[in-house]
Amino acid sequence: QQPVQSPQAVILREGEDAVINCSSSKALYSVHWYRQKHGEAPVFLMILLKGGEQKGHDKISASFNEKKQQSSLYLTASQLSYSGTYFCGTETGGGGNKLTFGTGTQLKVEL
Amino acid sequence: GAVVSQHPSWVICKSGTSVKIECRSLDFQATTMFWYRQFPKQSLMLMATSNEGSKATYEQGVEKDKFLINHASLTLSTLTVTSAHPEDSSFYICSAKDGTYEQYFGPGTRLTVT
């Protein structure tokens, strides 16, 4: 079953913050976050492993709550380049397993 | 970083013909490669998992006789769409793993069947 992301879509003004949530019905081993621009392949943002990780680089960070089977992606001081569709990819087994991608969140940053 | 290429970038073919898409890991050996399909405004759906030298594992609902996957070496996997029909038109993306947690995605191949 596909992880559910919320919100489905969001429009921001440049400089505003956003949170994207990813919720799974299965126990998770890891969560991967990707951003995809129209007509292009997904670009890797970060991986969070089980153990309750939080990670970040630049103005994008993420958290992983194993017990709730949820992950959140935090975008702060958004830039125009942040526009795209964000997907979480969840792994339910040990390393080497396949990813199940979430429903996606469309983010548009405007001036 | 690790680079994955796909060829061709786009292809238009006639209904009933077969199309082969190549996925190559350029600077690493891929222990596992994955093939995804993405319809417009939808998420990526995993079609199959491919390990070098062994048969691919297909996801439920994916016809293995229609989507032939061959992982002949640690740097090359191919997906052949046999007897393509208009409903097979989609964006096909491969990814590869080098034994770490990360998946490296190729740029995708847009298939249009007329």
Side-chain angles (χ1 to χ4, degrees), chain B residues 64-76:
Chain B
K64 58 181 71 175
D65 293 331
K66 181 170 183 62
F67 299 99
L68 301 177
I69 291 171
N70 184 276
H71 195 155
S73 75
L74 283 171
T75 59
L76 173 65

Side-chain angles (χ1 to χ4, degrees), chain A residues 2 29 32 34 36 39-42 44 47 49 87 95-99 101-103, chain B residues 34 36 38 42-46 49 59 91 93 97 101-103 105-108 110:
Chain A
Q2 193 175 28
Y29 179 81
H32 305 223
Y34 292 86
Q36 185 180 32
E40 300 177 9
F44 171 76
I47 297 174
L49 302 178
F87 292 102
N97 276 8
K98 58 191 182 183
L99 293 179
F101 280 83
T103 49
Chain B
F34 302 90
Y36 295 86
Q38 186 177 33
Q42 293 189 23
S43 186
L44 286 81
M45 300 304 292
L46 180 66
T49 303
E59 294 299 299
F91 192 47
I93 311 174
K97 288 176 70 92
Y101 292 109
E102 189 173 340
Q103 283 192 31
F105 280 83
R110 187 159 301 282

Side-chain angles (χ1 to χ4, degrees), chain A:
Chain A
Q1 199 169 359
Q2 193 175 28
V4 176
Q5 289 182 230
S6 62
Q8 283 186 309
V10 59
I11 299 175
L12 300 175
R13 290 203 180 275
E14 200 174 23
E16 291 183 333
D17 302 340
V19 181
I20 299 172
N21 300 302
C22 173
S23 183
S24 173
S25 59
K26 298 182 179 180
L28 301 177
Y29 179 81
S30 69
V31 180
H32 305 223
W33 283 98
Y34 292 86
R35 176 172 58 219
Q36 185 180 32
K37 305 262 184 183
H38 181 68
E40 300 177 9
V43 172
F44 171 76
L45 295 176
M46 64 186 77
I47 297 174
L48 299 109
L49 302 178
K50 87 185 245 184
E53 275 199 311
Q54 290 192 14
K55 255 187 192 178
H57 57 82
D58 200 12
K59 294 171 184 171
I60 300 176
S61 61
S63 63
F64 178 21
N65 187 322
E66 243 176 284
K67 285 184 180 177
K68 291 187 177 180
Q69 297 165 186
Q70 292 175 347
S71 178
S72 295
L73 185 72
Y74 307 93
L75 307 170
T76 58
S78 58
Q79 306 165 17
L80 295 176
S81 61
Y82 285 6
S83 294
T85 302
Y86 289 77
F87 292 102
C88 63
T90 58
E91 186 178 10
T92 54
N97 276 8
K98 58 191 182 183
L99 293 179
T100 302
F101 280 83
T103 49
T105 296
Q106 290 184 39
L107 181 93
K108 186 176 181 181
V109 181
E110 299 176 334
L111 287 170

